[in-house]
Amino acid sequence: MTSSIIIEPSTLYIVATPIGNLGDITLRAIDTLKHVDLIAAEDTRHSGLLLQHLSIHAKLYPLHDHNEQQKAQQLVEKLKSGLSIALISDAGTPLINDPGYHLVKTCREQNIKVVPIPGACAAIAALCVSGLPTDKFCYEGFLPAKSKARIDYLTQLQQETRTLVFYESTHRIIDSLHDMVAVFGKDKSIVLAKELTKSWETIVQLSISELIMWLIEDENRQKGEFVLILEGYKKSSDEALDPTAIKLLNRLQQELPLKKAAAIVADVYGLKKNQLYQLGLDNKSEQN
């Protein structure tokens, strides 16, 4: 199968590149990188190796965390002059914990066309094999470097019901997991995905405390790039309802049919309608 792409002038292309296995680059990505006028890269030396592998000879422009805000407008001026530009990061999808936000924002503000060329993303690759719920999830990126700030951040997520996705580095993986134990408890289920798409790819699902022990058993397991997938908060069936929700249900029940009252309270507080309906029936029984 062959792929072709018509490169448009004055257009910024956001191009995903492999996160490990070079075979994961798409045909559209290759065509785009071959035919744009300029490639903005997070690390020109690193990206140069990928382009060399693909036999792509293109002019590279450095765009990274330290110069993006200053260089964004310069790239926009090049786009306005008619050039086509591709943005790539060191690996994966640009802007997902990588530079590019200021450039894309500036382009959108100045009516420059931005086109996605989708492909590999470590967070999504890990999530889809985790075995944890994927219908709703939160991508949180890297946690704060200091333990206190990290615990404060995690505490805000303590009752988040959606699956949580984090990135973590070799040097902080153990410390971050210890802080997760402090906030979520040692028995919370977690999936670690390490070095995705590479020959030494590893994916394990354990409790947080078990994962800490697994990593400590072999220092080599602590090396690499990590994605952590944490199961969301699960409310126990016997956990008390918000008192204000119960108060509203009791008040509405005096004016409306129970089914309608339960539906309104469920919608306002994000609760289960059946649970509220049963509570209303119980309240009626106690009053009779």
Side-chain angles (χ1 to χ4, degrees), residues 239-259:
E239 192 169 342
L241 290 172
D242 187 330
T244 59
I246 298 173
K247 184 177 180 180
L248 179 60
L249 178 66
N250 292 337
R251 181 69 184 86
L252 290 176
Q253 207 173 335
Q254 297 173 22
E255 307 292 339
L256 299 171
L258 176 56
K259 186 175 181 180

Side-chain angles (χ1 to χ4, degrees), residues 91-119:
T93 301
L95 280 79
I96 307 302
N97 235 95
D98 282 325
Y101 165 72
H102 295 289
L103 175 59
V104 172
K105 182 174 182 288
T106 304
C107 285
R108 302 293 296 179
E109 289 172 346
Q110 300 185 38
N111 297 316
I112 298 294
K113 187 175 181 179
V114 183
V115 175
I117 309 294

Side-chain angles (χ1 to χ4, degrees), residues 72-90:
Q73 187 59 45
Q74 292 182 24
L75 285 172
V76 168
E77 295 304 322
K78 293 179 184 295
L79 287 160
K80 286 180 176 179
S81 74
L83 293 185
S84 57
I85 299 177
L87 172 67
I88 60 176
S89 60
D90 286 350

